[in-house]
Amino acid sequence: MNTGRRWFWGSFFIVGAVVLVLSQLGLLPYQFGFWRILFGIFMVAIVVFSLAHRGITGTVFGLAALVILFAKPLGVTALGPWTILGVALLVTIGLSLILNPHHYFNYHYQYRQTNNWHHGQQATERMTTDEAQTRVSVNMGTSIRYLQSQDFQRADVWVRMGDAKLYFDDVQLNPAGAVIDLNVSLGGAELYLPRTWPVKIAVDSNLGGVEEKGSHTPDAGPTVVIQGRLSLAGLTVVYV
C-alpha cells in the first residue's frame, strides 16, 4: 500500500475510534450501541473500498446496510429493512444494466495484463510459484498465483481489502498432507483444488462465507486442511 493510502486508511480508522468513544460518552446527538457503531465503521470501509474499485454491489448494499443501521437519525424508520434491501437490489440491477460493469472489468483486466498498466497498487499480480511453502500477501489489489510445487506443504494467504486466487491443479502434495492458512478481511480468496484431494475446511468465519463449487471426489491420498479466519470476507473452493 502506498503512502497516500496508508494515511487515508489509517486516518479513517482513527476517526472511527474517536466516533466510537464519543458515542459511548454520550457526546453525539444520537446514542448508538457499541456494536452498531463498530459495524457501521466497517460498512463505511466497504463502501469506500467498493467505490475505489467501481464495485456496484458492494457500494449499494454497503449503503443500504448503513441506512438500516442508522434509520432513526436519517428519518427513514418508515422503511423496513426488507424494503431497503429490495431497493438496493433493484438499484444494483439497474446500475449494472446501465453501466455494464462486466464489460468494463474485462476490458481493464485485459488492458492491465497486455500493457503492464498499473493504477497505484491495484494492478493484478500474476505469478507462478514452485515452492513447498509459499506466502501470498494482498493489500487493496488482486493476486493470482499458479503453484507448481512437487512437494507442497503449506500456503499462508493474507488478504486485506483485495482478492487472491490460487491454482493448485499442477501441484503434488507432501505425503504428510498440507495446510492452507487464510487470514482474509474485507476481501475474498478463491482456491482451485484438484477434485481428488481430500479436503478439510476448518475456517473461523466472522461475517463471512464459505462456498464450494464443482464435483469433489476425494481419493485416499494426503489431506489438505484449509484453516484460518475470515472477517467480512468470502472463501470459494473450486474443485477442478
Side-chain angles (χ1 to χ4, degrees), residues 41 49 72 142 219 226:
I41 292 171
F49 176 72
K72 185 175 180 180
T142 300
D219 58 19
I226 303 174

Side-chain angles (χ1 to χ4, degrees), residues 8-9 12 43-53 59 140:
F8 173 81
W9 286 109
F12 172 84
M43 285 297 101
V44 172
I46 289 176
V47 170
V48 173
F49 176 72
S50 299
L51 283 171
H53 288 76
T59 301
M140 297 185 69

Side-chain angles (χ1 to χ4, degrees), residues 176-192:
V179 173
I180 302 174
D181 190 74
L182 305 172
N183 191 335
V184 185
S185 61
L186 295 174
E190 294 183 24
L191 308 177
Y192 292 80

